[in-house]
Amino acid sequence: MGVRNSMAWDDLYDLVLNATGETLYMVALATIFTLLVGLPLGVLLFITRRQGLTPSPKLSAVLGTIVNIGRSLPFVVLLIALIPLTRWVVGTTLGSTAAVVPITLGAIPFFARIVENALDEVDKGRIEAIQAMGGGLRYVIFTVLLPEALPALLAGVTLTIVMLIGFSSMAGVIGGGGLGDLAIRYGYQRFNNQVMVATIVMLVLLVQIIQTLGDRIVRSLAHRR
């Protein structure tokens, strides 16, 4: 049996505050990279389908397979499998910056499918009308598809950020820093219930704040439309 430890509230506050900052850092960077890669990938998945704007069955099949493989891998497995890539990209496998690599690669396939599904909800009549008036592919994408799908895309971004918070916590398994790492090193390994409870509460608060803000923005856009 382990010995249950306790610590001063000031020390606990500092630990949780620093870990929260690391988590926000990881999630912010991962969100940016996920959007930069996942959005165009999702658009490609949509327009290259058999009935897409520029059908390309072979490219669609390749992209779809890559995305499906990425989504099917458990994130813990992905964390371990990407250790060599993480070391090559960042120079280390420890710390918050290193954790951004697997977190981002785990989220990109998920967000790409969200983008594809959001674009699929756009009224086909509007797309056909723009094409009939001579609108090119780029014009259709940036004038019709993305603006019309914006509420669904923002809802997808909110869902993705919440998922990234969970991914950042699991990154603590390999020393990724943040609240997950704090829970493992100080809570689990040292049998400190104070740390475990504090990290759980902070993770719940982060998720609730992100979800609430995201829902309000989506509702605001929906009302304007």
Side-chain angles (χ1 to χ4, degrees):
M1 288 183 63
V3 178
R4 297 183 181 275
N5 296 319
S6 61
M7 61 172 62
W9 284 108
D10 288 343
D11 294 335
L12 178 62
Y13 175 81
D14 290 338
L15 285 172
V16 173
L17 184 63
N18 291 334
T20 302
E22 292 177 352
T23 293
L24 292 175
Y25 167 77
M26 288 187 286
V27 171
L29 278 184
T31 299
I32 293 171
F33 293 134
T34 298
L35 295 180
L36 288 176
V37 179
L39 181 60
L41 179 57
V43 173
L44 272 176
L45 286 170
F46 178 78
I47 66 175
T48 58
R49 298 187 301 187
R50 289 188 180 277
Q51 297 179 343
L53 299 177
T54 56
S56 179
K58 291 184 179 179
L59 177 59
S60 179
V62 171
L63 292 176
T65 300
I66 293 173
V67 168
N68 288 338
I69 291 174
R71 292 181 64 196
S72 64
L73 291 175
F75 184 66
V76 174
V77 175
L78 191 65
L79 275 174
I80 299 171
L82 291 177
I83 285 178
L85 177 63
T86 301
R87 183 181 292 111
W88 179 74
V89 173
V90 184
T92 180
T93 59
L94 301 175
S96 302
T97 301
V100 172
V101 176
I103 291 172
T104 302
L105 292 178
I108 287 173
F110 176 81
F111 184 65
R113 285 299 186 193
I114 286 180
V115 173
E116 182 186 15
N117 292 334
L119 297 179
D120 204 28
E121 297 176 4
V122 176
D123 184 10
K124 302 299 186 296
R126 297 203 59 178
I127 298 175
E128 294 171 357
I130 296 296
Q131 289 178 316
M133 291 187 291
L137 177 62
R138 180 176 296 181
Y139 186 82
V140 171
I141 291 173
F142 290 101
T143 306
V144 181
L145 283 177
L146 294 179
E148 289 293 320
L150 187 57
L153 288 174
L154 288 177
V157 170
T158 301
L159 185 62
T160 302
I161 294 175
V162 170
M163 184 185 68
L164 287 171
I165 293 174
F167 280 2
S168 70
S169 300
M170 285 187 278
V173 173
I174 60 170
L179 290 167
D181 184 54
L182 177 64
I184 291 173
R185 289 194 296 116
Y186 284 85
Y188 175 71
Q189 294 179 352
R190 301 186 185 185
F191 300 95
N192 192 316
N193 290 331
Q194 285 177 294
V195 173
M196 291 297 294
V197 172
T199 53
I200 291 172
V201 169
M202 185 55 66
L203 287 170
V204 170
L205 284 175
L206 288 178
V207 169
Q208 291 298 320
I209 291 171
I210 294 297
Q211 191 66 60
T212 300
L213 289 176
D215 290 344
R216 287 184 178 180
I217 294 172
V218 171
R219 283 197 299 268
S220 176
L221 286 174
H223 289 159
R224 291 179 183 179
R225 301 172 71 84

